[in-house]
Amino acid sequence: MDNCSENTKRIDVMVVGGGISGIQAALDLAETGFKVYLVDKSPAIGGKMAQLDKTFPTNDCSMCIESPKFIECSRHPNIDILTYTEVKSVEGEVGEFLVTLVKKPRYIIEENCTGCTVCVEYCPVKVPDPYNQNLSLNKAIHIYFSQAVPLITYIDPETCLFLQDEKCTICQGACKNDAIDLHQKPEKIEVEVGAIVLAPGYEVFDPKPRGDYGYGKFANVVTSLDFERILCSTGPFDGEIRRPSDGKHPHRIAWIQCVGSRQVTEGGNSYCSAVCCAYTQKQVILAKDHDEGIQATIFHNDIRAFGKDFERFYQRAEKLADTRFIRSYVSIGREIPETQNVTIRYSTVDDGVKEEEFDMVVLSVGLAPPADVQGLADKFGIELNAHQFCMNQMTNPIATSRPGIFVSGAFQGPLDIPESVMSASGAEAQCGQLLAYRRGNLAKAREYPPERDVSNEELKVGVFVCHCGANIGRVVDVPDVVEYASSLGHVVHAQESLFACSTENAQQITDTIREKGLNRVVVAACTPRTHEPLFRDTVREGGINQYFYEMANIREHCSWVHSKEKEKATQKAKEIIRMSVARSTRLEPLQEFELPVNKAALVVGGGIAGMTSALSLANQGFTVHLLEKESDLGGMARRLHFTLEGMDVQAYLADLIGKVYKHPNVLVTLDAAITAVDGYVGNFVTTVKSGYQTKTIKHGAAVIATGAEEYQPSEYLYGENENVVTSIELEEMIAGQDERLAGAQSLVMIQCVGCRNEDRNYCSRVCCSHSIKNALKLRAINPEMELYILFRDIRAYGFKEDYYREAADNDIRFIRYTPEDKPEVEAGDPGVVVTVTDPVLGDRLMIEADLLTLAAAVVPPQTNPQMAKFFKVAMNPDGFFQEAHVKLRPVDFAADGVFLCGTAQYPKHITETISQAYGAAGRVVTILNKDSVLASGAVCEVKEKECVACGACITACTYGAIDFKETAIGKKATVNPILCKGDGLCNAVCPADAIVLKHFTQEEILCQIDAA
């Protein structure tokens, strides 16, 4: 370390960890006026998500989700990315930290490297590739992965012949850019920083040290992360499912759940890793997509499909042909020498012990704390919990034990992607509360080159065809398509790329626009849903109008739906590109609208979510109008008293309400009813009635935090027998020391009442933990009471698994039932009689209970449809509000300027509600921090002379963007371009063709149709 070079920088916030959570935190911080250092110990940002194939429940390509964010980070003027770098020490205190970093030598001069990989081709040393889980080989010098940011090679000092004993310098001679420096030394960097966000992610459980299920011993036993790489188009087998032992296609695959999780044996983890059940179902679905003939068997205990839409996802997997979900604990039998197949021994209640043979076994491994987590904690001066994840506060899961240092993502504990993204935005909000005084001091605005006037130029179209790894390339003959595109009229340049969305290829598009004088760009790749903003920005970087860009979707519309018809898929890809090129020649330059921003916020809902979000915004200096429909703040939390982890909910709630009323920036309106919402992002006007008073509130953004309610059961004698109560009513009895509990000898709880059925096909997420919490409280009150919990699956995910085990150890009896054989309840004398089938005993049990508790579903309030209409936002089939994207934008709506948090989005625990509430505040600040925002130029416009004032367009528009106005030639329809979302509904219904949708004009569409 003595040879380190040294320099010092001043930064507002340092984000440590370049996974999806760290990237989101960095982007939100940069968008809200802070200068950010994004530091990652790996050679490139991306984290574990970069190794995944697709995500659930949407099955979006993982890299397609991440890569636009990679490029956005690399282009953002307020984000400095520092990879291959570790933190050495952290000194100082909040607002004035001094962080010492050590940037490890890549042995590459970064500014000289172009990512051409010539050095990789010449390197003679082949080594196992850790990115591909060591299932394939790479070179001692290589790029971390094909879409890496930065797209720069690095040399592994452990395998490089020169760095070991100075035997080889072939790569140095092969590099034409003089980018290799084999004598490079570590670089020491000191950074003065105001706050720190820790997002180091997680490791996956390694079953090899214990030899679990033959991993490391039997070649065809792989982990779930190994299988992700096998599935992936950039993986060791180019996206084909093959066995590591012989490269053959497996036909019988078994998945074993809870490997390394829910275990109290040495070397295992007692907690539930939360994501394994769902990612296994995803892998089963993808495997069947690859080969319908695969026979899939999933060995599991509880199926924990507790997330939004996860229950339907589980049902989708369960209904696949030749797919079995077997509830059983298993052990590996043996490897068959002749075939290298593996046998599994398992036992079921009905059939006893069996042994089956499988071609491949996938171990669904859990999540573990980051590597060297204790060293990490020591450097940052933070505490860890009993499971070696970050210790955080029950009332603030984003705060660590050290002021000024925050945590986001899976370092909090096992989390799925949406929760990681929510916590990242929440970390931004909390940094903003600390550093609001210095916001904008170091930040600078994004600058683009002047836009070239192409109106008098000859049409020059460039076509860029993407392999998308093997997603497109293994089905479509990309070189043939490129050759065909070159022959089309007006096309002056056509090329292929492995990933068009990588930083290297985005830069190539920009450079080619300038060098070839392109004035239209067609990218044939994947979906515009995730990539259109990225490529428009790329075109803008090239100096032409962003609306001169056209996207041809040859993945979702071609290779994915015609994967078994390669020749026809190639022909269809050509036709799609021909249509896109034809349309591109008719594209016109459009300008976006700049809208001023009112720097006040509206929060609808005065529960924990709404109050937390309002306070966070107020603490950052913004005026917040908080609306609550009841006469008191608090929402459903007023009926809760304690959490499973021991939070005193009423004390916390009282403190929160006191802070809200005392804060000068929070204006509370009780008994509030919204009667109208007008306007658009940056300039909303909401009309509110409270008692006899009506007022209008002007605000730039809104947060919907309307909460949820408890289902009022119509089954199991609820409402007919006073001894039947709901879980929340039982909690109120416990808190109120109801004398019925002291004298009760037996109490039964029934789970999944009112959900996981045809009426409500979702899991209410909190009910299992709620019942365990109440049962443990009752056991403490009355150790002699007989306690029964009748359940379908116990969904005590994350660290809640420890309380589930504690309940079982305290003689709380768990009896599983099936939806086909539900418990039966009849009145007793006294109490009730509950009859249920015990699957272990194989007999019907009759339980005489003094009290029956129903774990009633969490349901959305009846006001949601009206609220959705006011704010022009979507709801899901269950009546909860629908976020813009379940993974990328879990607190945003599709409607600009409106955000979402708490149980209005989906049932969740208090800590999860708090985290998302901070996340919503963080997202709001990305708007309120600016003086203006931009609205799309692809909007509708009325040709007044053709308009017949029939009103059909007004009826069709779901955004309220069209109205009548008086003109010199009479009453005519007019479009508010700021409210218009460019969906074209008005354009389609207009009988007089009086409405034009810019960027999708009739001329453009008909030209595209003619080309077809």
Side-chain angles (χ1 to χ4, degrees):
M1 205 58 66
D2 295 335
N3 295 324
C4 287
S5 60
E6 187 171 341
N7 57 68
T8 304
K9 291 189 177 182
R10 183 168 180 247
I11 301 290
D12 287 316
V13 182
M14 177 179 290
V15 178
V16 181
I20 188 65
S21 185
I23 289 170
Q24 185 65 53
L27 285 170
D28 282 343
L29 285 159
E31 282 298 300
T32 54
F34 293 114
K35 185 69 177 177
V36 184
Y37 235 18
L38 179 57
V39 177
D40 193 274
K41 66 180 181 181
S42 298
I45 60 175
K48 283 289 185 294
M49 191 172 163
Q51 290 181 272
L52 305 184
D53 181 34
K54 293 183 175 67
T55 64
F56 58 87
T58 57
N59 276 358
D60 285 325
C61 172
S62 292
M63 285 308 300
C64 286
I65 287 179
E66 279 208 294
S67 58
K69 290 184 177 288
F70 292 171
I71 298 177
E72 194 177 350
C73 272
S74 67
R75 288 178 174 175
H76 206 293
N78 295 327
I79 299 176
D80 288 344
I81 299 175
L82 199 59
T83 54
Y84 221 36
T85 301
E86 294 187 354
V87 175
K88 182 181 179 183
S89 64
V90 179
E91 301 172 6
E93 57 187 23
V94 56
E96 297 178 341
F97 291 113
L98 179 64
V99 182
T100 302
L101 305 170
V102 175
K103 182 174 173 60
K104 295 183 289 185
R106 284 179 177 264
Y107 305 102
I108 302 294
I109 302 170
E110 296 186 21
E111 55 269 26
N112 290 0
C113 181
T114 62
C116 68
T117 69
V118 170
C119 56
V120 181
E121 295 173 19
Y122 280 89
C123 177
V125 181
K126 292 185 177 181
V127 296
D129 185 358
Y131 179 73
N132 270 337
Q133 292 294 105
N134 297 327
L135 293 170
S136 63
L137 298 177
N138 212 324
K139 300 294 186 68
I141 182 171
H142 62 272
I143 289 175
Y144 192 46
F145 59 94
S146 53
Q147 290 167 281
V149 173
L151 198 73
I152 296 171
T153 53
Y154 73 105
I155 298 176
D156 179 5
E158 300 298 321
T159 58
C160 173
L161 297 178
F162 179 85
L163 295 173
Q164 287 298 304
D165 50 21
E166 300 190 359
K167 281 187 177 178
C168 173
T169 59
I170 290 176
C171 59
Q172 199 168 37
C175 181
K176 298 179 181 179
N177 299 303
D178 295 325
I180 297 176
D181 179 3
L182 296 172
H183 301 282
Q184 205 172 59
K185 300 297 181 184
E187 180 184 1
K188 181 179 176 182
I189 304 171
E190 289 189 342
V191 183
E192 297 175 0
V193 59
I196 299 170
V197 177
L198 288 178
Y202 62 91
E203 296 294 327
V204 295
F205 176 78
D206 182 5
K208 188 176 291 185
R210 297 196 314 182
D212 279 11
Y213 305 103
Y215 185 72
K217 179 181 178 183
F218 302 152
N220 294 320
V221 176
V222 300
T223 68
S224 45
L225 192 55
D226 297 341
F227 195 70
E228 287 286 339
R229 296 311 305 154
I230 291 172
L231 284 169
C232 194
S233 60
T234 58
F237 308 126
D238 296 326
E240 292 190 43
I241 300 178
R242 296 183 180 274
R243 306 196 317 167
S245 66
D246 52 20
K248 293 181 179 179
H249 291 281
H251 299 291
R252 294 165 297 176
I253 305 178
W255 279 262
I256 299 176
Q257 294 293 107
C258 300
V259 176
S261 302
R262 303 184 68 184
Q263 296 179 344
V264 292
T265 53
E266 186 177 350
N269 297 312
S270 65
Y271 54 83
C272 165
S273 289
V275 300
C276 317
C277 287
Y279 77 56
T280 294
Q281 294 151 30
K282 175 202 73 173
Q283 289 180 349
V284 170
I285 291 170
L286 293 176
K288 298 287 285 185
D289 285 345
H290 280 253
D291 182 357
E292 294 177 359
I294 285 177
Q295 299 172 19
T297 304
I298 301 92
F299 295 99
H300 68 96
N301 182 9
D302 297 294
I303 290 293
R304 295 189 163 172
F306 56 85
K308 192 171 186 179
D309 289 328
F310 285 11
E311 186 72 20
R312 291 185 180 91
F313 196 71
Y314 164 47
Q315 292 164 3
R316 175 183 167 192
E318 190 179 33
K319 291 174 183 176
L320 291 171
D322 296 320
T323 299
R324 297 177 296 162
F325 282 78
I326 299 177
R327 198 181 299 276
S328 175
Y329 293 104
V330 305
S331 63
I332 289 290
R334 60 196 175 91
E335 183 183 64
I336 299 171
E338 296 79 11
T339 62
Q340 292 188 287
N341 289 352
V342 178
T343 66
I344 290 179
R345 290 173 58 85
Y346 66 96
S347 173
T348 64
V349 172
D350 297 330
D351 301 324
V353 177
K354 287 185 173 183
E355 186 167 3
E356 284 191 41
E357 180 181 333
F358 296 92
D359 301 331
M360 179 185 284
V361 175
V362 182
L363 307 181
S364 297
V365 291
L367 310 188
D372 189 25
V373 68
Q374 189 59 58
L376 182 95
D378 292 342
K379 289 175 186 176
F380 287 92
I382 61 170
E383 296 178 22
L384 302 175
N385 65 19
H387 296 295
Q388 297 298 288
F389 287 90
C390 182
M391 174 75 79
N392 48 34
Q393 304 168 19
M394 285 185 286
T395 58
N396 185 354
I398 297 171
T400 70
S401 57
R402 185 173 182 180
I405 299 182
F406 304 99
V407 59
S408 78
F411 189 33
Q412 292 178 322
L415 290 181
D416 190 12
I417 295 168
E419 285 77 19
S420 294
V421 174
M422 291 173 193
S423 64
S425 296
E428 182 281 321
Q430 300 207 21
C431 290
Q433 290 176 209
L434 283 179
L435 305 176
Y437 67 94
R438 59 193 278 181
R439 194 191 302 273
N441 289 352
L442 300 177
K444 54 186 179 182
R446 178 83 179 270
E447 294 183 359
Y448 292 93
E451 186 176 301
R452 198 170 88 232
D453 181 4
V454 304
S455 56
N456 296 319
E457 291 182 3
E458 176 188 351
L459 283 169
K460 292 183 179 181
V461 182
V463 179
F464 301 84
V465 185
C466 182
H467 284 260
C468 197
N471 280 304
I472 295 171
R474 73 178 175 190
V475 178
V476 174
D477 186 343
V478 173
D480 186 31
V481 170
V482 170
E483 184 178 351
Y484 173 77
S486 300
S487 69
L488 296 173
H490 305 297
V491 174
V492 299
H493 177 81
Q495 72 173 62
E496 60 185 286
S497 56
L498 184 62
F499 287 101
C501 58
S502 69
T503 48
E504 177 196 30
N505 281 282
Q507 187 61 49
Q508 279 185 5
I509 293 172
T510 298
D511 293 341
T512 305
I513 290 171
R514 296 192 182 105
E515 292 167 7
K516 305 275 185 178
L518 303 182
N519 48 37
R520 301 292 189 278
V521 172
V522 175
V523 176
C526 57
T527 172
R529 180 168 175 251
T530 54
H531 283 61
E532 189 170 61
L534 164 67
F535 287 121
R536 281 188 176 176
D537 195 63
T538 299
V539 167
R540 195 175 173 191
E541 288 276 2
I544 60 175
N545 188 277
Q546 61 180 306
Y547 290 94
F548 285 142
Y549 163 73
E550 168 71 0
M551 192 159 199
N553 189 339
I554 61 170
R555 190 182 71 179
E556 281 82 347
H557 294 176
C558 189
S559 67
W560 277 4
V561 291
H562 304 294
S563 59
K564 310 243 183 321
E565 305 170 288
K566 295 186 178 181
E567 290 184 6
K568 292 181 178 179
T570 299
Q571 183 59 35
K572 183 178 179 180
K574 293 177 182 179
E575 293 169 359
I576 291 172
I577 291 172
R578 182 173 70 241
M579 293 164 64
S580 294
V581 169
R583 180 172 179 266
S584 74
T585 63
R586 299 293 191 273
L587 295 178
E588 298 176 353
L590 302 176
Q591 299 302 320
E592 295 182 325
F593 298 90
E594 191 169 292
L595 314 173
V597 172
N598 183 309
K599 294 182 179 294
L602 178 78
V603 177
V604 183
I608 285 178
M611 288 190 289
T612 301
S613 193
L615 272 176
S616 179
L617 289 165
N619 286 332
Q620 295 181 69
F622 299 103
T623 299
V624 184
H625 300 272
L626 179 61
L627 308 183
E628 169 53 46
K629 65 181 180 181
E630 303 293 341
S631 55
D632 295 298
L633 296 174
M636 277 295 292
R638 294 202 303 270
R639 300 183 61 193
L640 304 177
H641 297 271
F642 39 83
T643 67
L644 188 58
E645 297 78 12
M647 178 198 292
D648 184 334
V649 177
Q650 292 305 305
Y652 168 69
L653 192 61
D655 180 63
L656 189 64
I657 292 172
K659 290 178 179 176
V660 166
Y661 279 124
K662 290 176 183 177
H663 205 294
N665 289 345
V666 181
L667 308 175
V668 180
T669 303
L670 300 175
D671 299 313
I674 294 176
T675 58
V677 178
D678 298 307
Y680 42 84
V681 56
N683 291 273
F684 291 104
V685 178
T686 298
T687 305
V688 180
K689 184 178 180 181
S690 176
Y692 296 105
Q693 294 183 333
T694 299
K695 61 181 178 181
T696 58
I697 299 172
K698 296 181 179 180
H699 54 101
V703 176
I704 294 181
T706 50
E709 299 171 353
E710 184 185 39
Y711 167 66
Q712 296 300 298
S714 58
E715 52 265 73
Y716 300 123
L717 302 183
Y718 182 79
E720 302 173 27
N721 190 312
E722 65 177 3
N723 297 307
V724 182
V725 298
T726 66
S727 293
I728 290 182
E729 290 168 348
L730 176 63
E731 182 172 337
E732 291 175 320
M733 291 170 66
I734 294 170
Q737 300 180 343
D738 193 299
E739 60 184 27
R740 285 187 292 173
L741 296 177
Q745 296 180 341
S746 176
L747 185 145
V748 174
M749 302 177 184
I750 300 179
Q751 300 302 113
C752 299
V753 176
C755 63
R756 297 187 70 189
N757 56 27
E758 290 184 3
D759 295 331
R760 296 175 194 84
N761 193 14
Y762 61 89
C763 167
S764 289
R765 191 175 179 117
V766 301
C767 316
C768 290
S769 300
H770 201 170
S771 292
I772 291 169
K773 170 189 71 176
N774 285 342
L776 288 170
K777 285 286 185 182
L778 289 170
R779 175 60 72 232
I781 293 170
N782 185 350
E784 303 302 319
M785 185 186 296
E786 293 185 354
L787 294 167
Y788 301 86
I789 297 179
L790 314 185
F791 70 99
R792 289 174 57 184
D793 296 279
I794 289 293
R795 293 179 169 176
Y797 58 92
F799 302 144
K800 296 172 180 61
E801 177 71 14
D802 291 337
Y803 297 96
Y804 175 27
R805 186 175 293 103
E806 180 185 347
D809 291 343
N810 276 277
D811 201 28
I812 295 167
R813 300 167 192 176
F814 291 84
I815 301 175
R816 192 186 303 275
Y817 73 89
T818 65
E820 297 77 26
D821 188 12
K822 291 182 178 180
E824 297 175 359
V825 178
E826 56 187 20
D829 186 21
V832 296
V833 178
V834 181
T835 305
V836 64
T837 300
D838 189 320
V840 177
L841 298 177
D843 204 354
R844 300 278 284 176
L845 296 182
M846 187 176 290
I847 306 170
E848 295 181 355
D850 297 307
L851 284 170
L852 173 63
T853 302
L854 307 181
V858 179
V859 298
Q862 295 181 352
T863 56
N864 275 8
Q866 186 182 30
M867 203 62 60
K869 184 178 179 181
F870 282 140
F871 286 96
K872 302 175 181 63
V873 297
M875 292 166 34
N876 78 345
D878 303 314
F880 295 100
F881 289 109
Q882 184 63 53
E883 60 273 48
H885 190 286
V886 65
K887 300 291 184 184
L888 289 175
R889 301 172 65 196
V891 296
D892 295 44
F893 280 110
D896 295 334
V898 189
F899 301 91
L900 172 66
C901 66
T903 52
Q905 187 245 0
Y906 189 69
K908 51 180 63 72
H909 291 280
I910 288 177
T911 52
E912 296 166 335
T913 292
I914 293 169
S915 184
Q916 192 181 17
Y918 279 116
R923 296 296 298 150
V924 167
V925 178
T926 62
I927 292 176
L928 300 190
N929 173 63
K930 300 171 183 174
D931 294 324
S932 63
V933 293
L934 295 175
S936 173
V939 295
C940 293
E941 186 177 58
V942 175
K943 296 182 286 185
E944 290 184 353
K945 291 183 180 179
E946 281 81 6
C947 178
V948 295
C950 66
C953 56
I954 296 174
T955 304
C957 182
T958 57
Y959 296 98
I962 309 176
D963 208 344
F964 286 129
K965 73 170 182 179
E966 289 295 334
T967 72
I969 56 176
K971 185 171 71 172
K972 301 293 180 181
T974 183
V975 177
N976 183 335
I978 299 166
L979 292 178
C980 179
K981 296 298 177 186
D983 59 16
L985 293 179
C986 58
N987 181 246
V989 302
C990 179
D993 290 334
I995 298 185
V996 175
L997 175 54
K998 297 178 180 179
H999 201 57
F1000 296 95
T1001 63
Q1002 276 197 0
E1003 184 184 19
E1004 292 165 4
I1005 300 299
L1006 289 173
C1007 183
Q1008 194 170 13
I1009 292 171
D1010 289 342

